[in-house]
Amino acid sequence: MSELAALIKAARNLDQKALATIFDLYSSSLYKFISRLMHDPVKSDEMVAEVFEQLVADLSLKQGPRTNIRSYLYQIAYRLIVERFRDVHPHSHLEVAIRSLEKDKSAPQPQIDERVTMEALLASMNTELSEDQRIVIILRFLEDFSLKETAEIIGKDVNNVKVIQNRGIAKLKKAMGMQVDDQ
């Protein structure tokens, strides 16, 4: 039995050490995922706690993950984000990012250009992409989930995830002024 399988088995028995280990393994990556979408550190932190509360509640009902704990935790996070997304939808503005970066005269110009490009990309993600596209792009490219895992997390089939991903990438390229290849 692998270490991860043993950890999941212990967690299904509500072993406190196993649950703490799972929290230690996944809380920081869940926080990054949630904060990329929520844009509020306090609410992101609260939502991480809710994810683990839901995990413990599921395990106490003899439900929960049997093999892939990481995917299961992201599924919970995804559901919680979708529930709250209509209430929390701040947008970062490129102009504000550029002004703040231009004030930082200590950074070399290439570094400023890279930071401005990243801010433009993030602003485009927030303003140009649909909720599904934003989540798929984050799960696939920032969280490194496979197409299959992403499909499981958001409750769609793999082909649908591919379509969402490709349309999202095309929108980002267009928003960034890049040439979009017709397929």
Side-chain angles (χ1 to χ4, degrees):
M1 179 181 296
S2 73
E3 286 183 43
L4 188 56
L7 182 64
I8 292 171
K9 183 178 179 182
R12 291 184 65 74
N13 292 321
L14 300 177
D15 177 273
Q16 295 298 313
K17 185 176 179 184
L19 293 170
T21 301
I22 290 170
F23 181 84
D24 291 342
L25 285 172
Y26 299 107
S27 61
S28 64
S29 62
L30 277 169
Y31 176 82
K32 288 176 192 173
F33 168 66
I34 293 167
S35 65
R36 286 180 178 124
L37 295 165
M38 298 299 291
H39 307 287
D40 181 330
V42 173
K43 288 184 180 179
S44 298
D45 197 43
E46 290 171 356
M47 193 170 289
V48 169
E50 288 181 49
V51 168
F52 285 98
E53 287 174 16
Q54 183 64 53
L55 173 66
V56 171
D58 291 351
L59 292 173
S60 68
L61 295 171
K62 301 298 180 199
Q63 299 171 352
R66 296 203 178 275
T67 56
N68 193 338
I69 187 79
R70 180 176 180 241
S71 181
Y72 191 84
L73 292 169
Y74 276 80
Q75 287 173 10
I76 295 170
Y78 172 75
R79 285 194 305 270
L80 291 172
I81 289 167
V82 168
E83 288 174 10
R84 290 174 182 80
F85 211 86
R86 288 159 188 80
D87 298 333
V88 180
H89 198 69
H91 298 287
S92 59
H93 299 285
L94 180 58
E95 299 80 28
V96 174
I98 291 170
R99 279 195 299 269
S100 68
L101 292 172
E102 286 174 345
K103 288 178 184 176
D104 183 6
K105 300 296 182 192
S106 64
Q109 188 62 39
Q111 187 178 9
I112 291 173
D113 292 343
E114 288 175 16
R115 289 168 57 192
V116 169
T117 301
M118 184 55 77
E119 286 297 325
L121 180 61
L122 292 174
S124 294
M125 281 184 65
N126 289 331
T127 58
E128 301 295 325
L129 299 183
S130 71
E131 181 179 330
D132 280 346
Q133 290 167 341
R134 190 170 34 256
I135 289 171
V136 166
I137 297 293
I138 289 171
L139 286 171
R140 292 282 292 127
F141 300 108
L142 299 176
E143 299 296 327
D144 295 322
F145 278 102
S146 68
L147 284 167
K148 183 181 178 197
E149 290 171 319
T150 301
E152 289 172 2
I153 290 168
I154 66 171
K156 298 186 186 286
D157 66 44
V158 172
N159 289 330
N160 196 283
V161 170
K162 287 180 187 177
V163 169
I164 293 168
Q165 174 183 306
N166 290 336
R167 289 181 180 165
I169 290 170
K171 279 186 179 180
L172 285 174
K173 285 181 176 180
K174 184 177 178 184
M176 298 292 293
M178 301 169 116
Q179 183 69 24
V180 179
D181 298 330
D182 291 331
Q183 296 180 348

